[in-house]
Amino acid sequence: MRQPSDQGIFLTIEGIEGVGKSTAVRYIQQYLTTLRQDFIVTREPGGTPLAEKIRQILLIPTDEPMTPLSELLLMFACRTQHIANLILPALSVGKWVVSDRFVDASYAYQGAGRGFDMSQIATLDQWTVGALRPQTTILLDAPPQLGLARAKRRGPQDRIEQEKVDFFERVRAGYLQRAKNDVKRFCIIDATKPMAVVHAEIKIILDRLMLSKQINV
């Protein structure tokens, strides 16, 4: 995996189901559009045509149970396509890349949630992702009961959304541990707060990133 370019800004949004990631991404889109900043918005799993096909395999419920190992490997297969064919090319020409989830999700979902040894995930991470890391990761945090209730109101649940609450409790704990271990990169926002408050906190983060970009130009 090539080293990431330092020309663009890589921003990721993380959190369990129903915490408002999609709404946060739309706010970030509006912010960057207003400032006429060149950017792309993407997601994981997915992001490229082939990666989106892998996403369907990962998320559409079927009669055949998917093994945890298959899930983990498909996530990273999807991610390698995403990085090589979308993220790195965009960063190399100075674009912001805003991604709804990235590699932290594998540590939270497949690591904390499914129970994989974190060192196994780290090996896949080093092999496929390499040195690429977001400058900032916004972690929208809320209790799983609240997030899942919101997710159910959106419509039919995908394969992962159908997991029980205790799975998402582990995932949330995994995210919070990741944030504790990397306080410089993570910004935790209480997603139970009113949307206007959440957006105001996101704006502070974006303003800081924009300033850092201007200083480094």
Side-chain angles (χ1 to χ4, degrees):
M1 187 64 64
R2 293 188 289 119
Q3 294 292 317
S5 169
D6 61 359
Q7 295 182 40
I9 294 288
F10 187 20
L11 172 66
T12 56
I13 316 298
E14 297 281 358
I16 64 169
E17 277 66 17
V19 293
K21 290 185 288 82
S22 297
T23 303
V25 168
R26 286 195 294 271
Y27 174 78
I28 294 168
Q29 285 181 276
Q30 293 171 359
Y31 174 97
L32 295 174
T33 300
T34 299
L35 294 181
R36 298 182 179 179
Q37 173 62 52
D38 200 5
F39 69 94
I40 62 168
V41 169
T42 187
R43 66 179 180 177
E44 286 205 350
T48 73
L50 181 55
E52 288 291 330
K53 291 181 180 179
I54 300 174
R55 177 188 176 91
Q56 292 180 13
I57 296 172
L58 280 162
L59 298 185
I60 295 176
T62 64
D63 293 335
E64 179 183 359
M66 181 177 293
T67 70
L69 180 57
S70 293
E71 179 181 283
L72 176 65
L73 295 175
L74 283 169
M75 287 290 185
F76 274 95
C78 192
R79 186 166 293 128
T80 58
Q81 292 294 124
H82 192 204
I83 292 169
N85 295 335
L86 187 69
I87 295 176
L88 286 179
L91 291 175
S92 70
V93 294
K95 293 182 180 180
W96 283 51
V97 175
V98 181
S99 184
D100 181 343
R101 296 204 175 110
F102 191 56
V103 72
D104 293 301
S106 286
Y107 286 94
Y109 278 80
Q110 285 76 52
R114 301 292 187 205
F116 273 97
D117 189 316
M118 295 297 182
S119 65
Q120 294 175 313
I121 298 176
T123 298
L124 284 171
D125 183 1
Q126 293 162 11
W127 184 31
T128 61
V129 181
L132 180 63
R133 286 293 179 273
Q135 279 89 342
T136 295
T137 296
I138 296 174
L139 175 58
L140 297 173
D141 180 56
Q145 292 86 348
L146 175 61
L148 292 175
R150 290 175 176 173
K152 286 180 180 178
R153 291 196 292 269
R154 294 196 304 245
Q157 296 176 295
D158 65 36
R159 186 182 63 83
I160 293 179
E161 288 174 339
Q162 292 175 2
E163 292 289 343
K164 298 186 182 301
V165 172
D166 60 343
F167 171 80
F168 292 103
E169 292 281 6
R170 296 193 299 272
V171 173
R172 182 193 186 193
Y175 269 130
L176 292 173
Q177 185 62 50
R178 292 283 292 172
K180 182 179 179 180
N181 293 342
D182 196 351
V183 295
K184 289 185 178 180
R185 176 165 65 89
F186 275 87
C187 298
I188 302 175
I189 294 178
D190 182 352
T192 67
K193 293 180 179 178
M195 187 181 301
V197 175
V198 171
H199 287 176
E201 293 187 18
I202 292 174
K203 184 178 185 302
I204 292 171
I205 296 167
L206 296 174
D207 287 345
R208 186 172 66 240
L209 278 172
M210 190 65 71
L211 179 60
S212 71
K213 173 67 173 175
Q214 292 169 354
I215 290 172
N216 291 328
V217 168

